[in-house]
Amino acid sequence: MGKPKHDKTRDVPLSPALQAGLAALPRRGLWIVSRLDGHMLTYSAAIEFIRDLYKRACIEPPVSETGQRRPWHSLRHTFGTECAARGVPITTLQELMGHEDVATTRRYVTVTKDHKRDAMRLAFGQQVANTLVRNGTFDGDLKRPRRDSNPCYLRERRVS
């Protein structure tokens, strides 16, 4: 597909699912992913293929922060976000994405409300504001529980 950005190459391991998918593809010469005639797939042909996928899915390609429609580039944002959401350390993600600076990698990671909620559950379990969530729900009342409804207070009161 041509020279990489800044003429720097890197090794990125393939996931088992991608390895299996590529192994199932018919080989048409030297290239695993190639044109129908077996020649190398060019960058512009790959872009057109991705644009066609968006079109067939009836999805508008995302607009970048510069206002351009860059369907190929949006896949990098998806990759960064998904890896981060699955717990890949940011420094490892930086290496996988080939960034010199971790600040660049951070621009590729979108953190959603669900990601934040999941992170808090991972770090602190079901505990919320020093009140344990019971039966998988929390009523949102962060006021101190009344003494007569507090099982610890009732237990203490019965003992004394």
Side-chain angles (χ1 to χ4, degrees), residues 82-139:
E82 285 298 314
C83 284
R86 294 167 193 240
V88 174
I90 193 77
T91 51
T92 302
L93 186 54
Q94 173 189 359
E95 291 283 325
L96 289 170
M97 298 186 80
H99 296 145
E100 291 284 329
D101 188 343
V102 74
T104 304
T105 307
R106 286 189 183 116
R107 290 196 333 242
Y108 283 83
V109 176
T110 301
V111 179
T112 66
K113 284 183 180 180
D114 287 344
H115 294 147
K116 290 185 235 180
R117 185 196 65 236
D118 292 346
M120 293 306 288
R121 281 189 181 144
L122 178 65
F124 301 105
Q126 294 293 318
Q127 187 177 358
V128 178
N130 293 328
T131 303
L132 293 179
V133 175
R134 290 180 176 82
N135 301 324
T137 62
F138 177 69
D139 65 7

Side-chain angles (χ1 to χ4, degrees), residues 149-160:
S149 66
N150 183 338
C152 295
Y153 176 75
L154 293 175
R155 194 176 323 118
E156 291 168 8
R157 195 167 52 171
R158 279 188 211 125
V159 170
S160 53

Side-chain angles (χ1 to χ4, degrees), residues 33-47:
V33 179
S34 66
R35 297 185 335 193
L36 290 175
D37 63 6
H39 288 93
M40 183 176 80
L41 186 67
T42 63
Y43 182 78
S44 60
I47 294 271

Side-chain angles (χ1 to χ4, degrees), residues 5 9 19-21 51-53 59 73 91 118 123 128 148 158:
K5 192 174 183 179
T9 60
Q19 287 177 1
R51 282 191 179 128
D52 187 52
L53 286 176
I59 298 172
H73 198 70
T91 51
D118 292 346
V128 178
D148 58 345
R158 279 188 211 125

